[in-house]
Amino acid sequence: MEIINNENNIKYLNAKKRVKQVKGFYIHALVFVLVNILIVALNFQKTGNFEFKNFWGTFFWGIGLTAHGLSVFLPNFILGKNWEEKKIRELMDKDKNQS
């Protein structure tokens, strides 16, 4: 019974970690949208028109947001769902054999 509980605990902790990562990305995306709406509104109020030259920060922040999204959603696509767990076991076994 203890093994089953341990496996369930590991699955729960992995799911909790995954939810935290996705939540972090969603918060980042929401802040990105809200801040940039404010920047566009203030810029439009100040100049009366839309000038792209004033949005370099938005452009580079967008690149950062894209990288964040890729780091959250693509590792499972590229490396597989259990890659991290397999790698941890591999390193633990290697360490155990060296001791």
Side-chain angles (χ1 to χ4, degrees):
M1 281 299 200
E2 191 174 313
I3 293 172
I4 294 172
N5 287 337
N6 192 25
E7 286 180 20
N8 287 338
N9 190 31
I10 290 170
K11 288 179 182 179
Y12 172 78
L13 292 174
N14 286 338
K16 188 175 178 180
K17 178 182 173 185
R18 181 80 177 130
V19 167
K20 188 175 180 180
Q21 290 173 336
V22 172
K23 181 181 176 185
F25 172 74
Y26 289 156
I27 290 170
H28 188 179
L30 179 66
V31 170
F32 174 81
V33 169
L34 294 176
V35 167
N36 284 294
I37 286 172
L38 179 66
I39 289 171
V40 168
L42 291 174
N43 187 43
F44 191 76
Q45 183 182 14
K46 182 179 176 184
T47 63
N49 60 0
F50 182 85
E51 296 177 21
F52 186 74
K53 67 181 182 180
N54 296 328
F55 296 101
W56 284 107
T58 299
F59 174 74
F60 289 112
W61 189 4
I63 291 173
L65 180 62
T66 301
H68 187 178
L70 293 175
S71 73
V72 170
F73 296 110
L74 271 187
N76 289 339
F77 179 72
I78 294 172
L79 300 174
K81 281 186 174 182
N82 298 322
W83 176 84
E84 189 173 309
E85 186 177 323
K86 288 178 187 176
K87 195 64 175 175
I88 290 170
R89 286 183 188 162
E90 176 187 321
L91 293 173
M92 287 175 63
D93 290 341
K94 189 176 185 181
D95 189 45
K96 186 177 179 181
N97 291 337
Q98 288 179 354
S99 296

